[in-house]
Amino acid sequence: MAITDIASRTYNHGWRLDPIIRSLLDTDFYKLLMLQMIRELHPDVGVTFSLINRSWHVRLAEVIDEGELRAQLDHARSIRFTKKELIWLAGNTFYGKTQMFSPGFIAWLADFRLPEYDLRKVEGQYELHFYGPWTHTSMWEIPALAIVNELRSRQAMKGKGRFVLDVIYARAKAKLWSKVERLKTLQALRVSDFGTRRRHGFLWQRWCVEALKEGLGSALTGTSNVLLAMDNDLEAIGTNAHELPMVMAALATTDKELREAPYRVLDEWQRTYDGNLLIALPDAFGTTSFLRDAPDWVADWTGFRPDSAPPIEGGEEIIRWWKQHGRDPREKLLIFSDGMDIEAIEATYRHFAGRVRTSFGWGTNLTNDFIGCTPDGGTDLDPISLVCKVTHVNGRPAVKLSDNPEKATGDPAEIARYLRVFGDAGRVRVPVRV
């Protein structure tokens, strides 16, 4: 495969529309896994997803042209799964399992299209909402984030000369390769690309994945991006996300049902999937409360993905819980994926070596690390913390507490209710960069 000259592509493109989303497979693998379960068990639930810019100082509506944003969103709505893509999904082996996706689900995907959106400007920011069935709005999360992030990157690149662009990308490439060389020294490392949602751009993510494939070899376990997995003969990596417990919790009508919602999700998941897909995400309403009330059978799952607690502290808490339940942590898996970069990967890898199996999902700091790469010292290419979260379920507000209160989302009154039910133990406020 020829290596794309990204600087030339950026400098020379003058098309009416350079599509950011080229395929509905340009999404995270766990979206398809969750979608299959959602369609089977919750086809009538209505869910609203909303764009949330946690880097409020970046006024996106003053950076990104509304017409360009609408054009990209409209283009994404025009895309359908191709026959080639559906054949690959139906026939490929994922996590060692053939026919991960049922024939009925594959047939349903053939007619799938992204639903409409609601976009407006409010105080220098974009309000972007996706209303409709959960089976459809869920699939907007990743492309919406990719579109907004890449439009911001393109705007930052506008007007820069050919040689300046060459320098920017050369510096970013050298920066990434220096990280690859450090990772190569970690024996039996397992790392995967988790960088779709906040990438600098699609072509840059593809370059990063190809660089990891060559530089890390078997240490690269795959990519969460389904399209890149298909195109580069890599494993598609992913399990489940916060939206599952958030939706189940919003549907709860009593405090008891609310407290049990995270485990109801896991029970549904284990009736749908098994093996290495049995990875629990414990922090939607706080890891400490999740472990405190978790049924014993959760300890039989393959592992956990601590996502918002500091990696070493979060991992240690889970290891203690496994030991309390009579399980050997050395047989378990911890997947670390929250804002990981080279220093955090190295420190976490060395801390847990020989005590538990570890794997790392490398996201924004893999596919969008242009910090310090611009000749003028500007920060327009620095990544921001942009998310697209469940905000309403059947008209009721949804909440995420997180282990880090800075990442909490939802109506303040509902957040207070959730804190009363789940408690505040173990939650530590930490600044969010990505």
Side-chain angles (χ1 to χ4, degrees), residues 143-365:
L145 291 172
I147 286 169
V148 174
N149 276 292
E150 184 160 349
L151 284 177
R152 177 173 175 262
S153 297
R154 290 183 181 184
Q155 180 60 38
M157 294 293 197
K158 283 183 178 179
K160 296 189 184 299
R162 176 69 175 81
F163 288 97
V164 170
L165 291 173
D166 266 342
V167 168
I168 290 173
Y169 283 111
R171 288 176 175 176
K173 289 177 179 180
K175 192 176 186 182
L176 173 58
W177 196 253
S178 70
K179 297 178 185 181
V180 169
E181 290 177 329
R182 289 168 64 174
L183 293 178
K184 287 170 68 174
T185 67
L186 304 180
Q187 298 298 315
L189 173 73
R190 293 169 56 85
V191 64
S192 56
D193 158 46
F194 274 22
T196 300
R197 65 186 60 216
R198 298 195 195 105
R199 67 194 182 196
H200 169 80
F202 172 77
L203 296 177
W204 179 247
Q205 183 184 15
R206 188 174 73 181
W207 188 92
C208 291
V209 169
E210 292 170 354
L212 292 189
K213 184 177 181 180
E214 178 176 320
L216 295 181
S218 61
L220 177 66
T221 58
T223 171
S224 66
N225 187 291
V226 191
L227 180 62
L228 292 177
M230 182 180 72
D231 289 346
N232 291 278
D233 194 26
L234 291 169
E235 292 287 336
I237 302 294
T239 53
N240 53 75
H242 293 111
E243 70 181 85
L244 295 181
M246 289 177 68
V247 170
M248 289 300 101
L251 291 172
T253 57
T254 66
D255 287 355
K256 180 176 183 294
E257 289 180 354
L258 176 58
R259 190 176 296 108
E260 294 173 349
Y263 316 113
R264 178 185 170 191
V265 167
L266 298 189
D267 184 54
E268 291 182 348
W269 189 261
Q270 70 181 357
R271 286 189 278 120
T272 307
Y273 302 109
D274 56 19
N276 285 332
L277 287 177
L278 296 183
I279 302 295
L281 182 61
D283 69 310
F285 311 119
T287 296
T288 299
S289 66
F290 178 93
L291 296 176
R292 179 193 66 215
D293 298 330
D296 187 70
W297 52 260
V298 176
D300 292 324
W301 275 38
T302 302
F304 281 81
R305 179 165 69 92
D307 188 58
S308 56
I312 290 176
E313 291 87 338
E316 288 290 355
E317 184 175 14
I318 293 168
I319 285 176
R320 288 193 298 270
W321 183 82
W322 273 325
K323 289 181 175 179
Q324 291 166 4
H325 285 74
R327 273 56 166 195
D328 185 351
R330 292 172 298 180
E331 299 175 355
K332 298 296 184 180
L333 174 64
L334 289 177
I335 301 175
F336 298 97
S337 61
D338 181 35
M340 302 302 291
D341 203 3
I342 183 65
E343 290 81 8
I345 292 174
E346 289 174 330
T348 306
Y349 168 90
R350 292 182 174 125
H351 180 86
F352 290 110
R355 300 176 57 213
V356 64
R357 293 185 296 136
T358 58
S359 182
F360 298 90
W362 197 6
T364 309
N365 292 313

